[in-house]
Amino acid sequence: MMTEYSIDNLRNIGLVGHGGTGKTSLNEAMLFCAKVTTRMGTIDDGSAISDYTEDEISRKISIGLALSHLEWKGCKINLIDIPGYA
């Protein structure tokens, strides 16, 4: 069953910055801390949740937007991992 959240309990967060500043790693850490995943994926080993295409894994950069979500202290947080390279 899907939990319904009031507008007061919804947060949308865009992870924005230059390439290589750790946006995808921050996304991984947030998902891990919220217990969405059982281990933190890494860019180097190709296991990051938000970098899942073959090109992203081989280049070790985000190419497209990636959406993920977590629940924290009664709020639903929608994360948008935004690529830092053009």
Side-chain angles (χ1 to χ4, degrees), residues 10-14 27 67-70 76-80:
L10 290 174
R11 305 289 183 273
N12 298 307
I13 299 174
N27 186 66
L67 305 173
S68 53
H69 65 274
L70 58 95
K76 180 181 181 187
I77 301 174
N78 297 307
L79 300 172
I80 307 165

Side-chain angles (χ1 to χ4, degrees), residues 45-56:
D45 71 9
S47 62
I49 289 174
S50 59
D51 286 351
Y52 54 87
T53 67
E54 287 181 31
D55 281 343
E56 289 174 321

Side-chain angles (χ1 to χ4, degrees), residues 2-83:
M2 187 184 294
T3 304
E4 291 189 31
Y5 297 91
S6 71
I7 195 75
D8 294 336
N9 293 333
L10 290 174
R11 305 289 183 273
N12 298 307
I13 299 174
L15 304 176
V16 181
H18 295 286
T21 57
K23 298 174 300 295
T24 299
S25 296
L26 176 61
N27 186 66
E28 288 293 320
M30 293 172 76
L31 294 173
F32 178 72
C33 287
K35 301 196 182 334
V36 173
T37 60
T38 57
R39 72 175 194 89
M40 274 186 47
T42 67
I43 295 157
D44 287 334
D45 71 9
S47 62
I49 289 174
S50 59
D51 286 351
Y52 54 87
T53 67
E54 287 181 31
D55 281 343
E56 289 174 321
I57 293 168
S58 67
R59 295 180 187 187
K60 298 184 190 288
I61 62 169
S62 298
I63 295 172
L65 286 180
L67 305 173
S68 53
H69 65 274
L70 58 95
E71 186 177 320
W72 190 261
K73 297 185 179 181
C75 289
K76 180 181 181 187
I77 301 174
N78 297 307
L79 300 172
I80 307 165
D81 187 1
I82 302 168

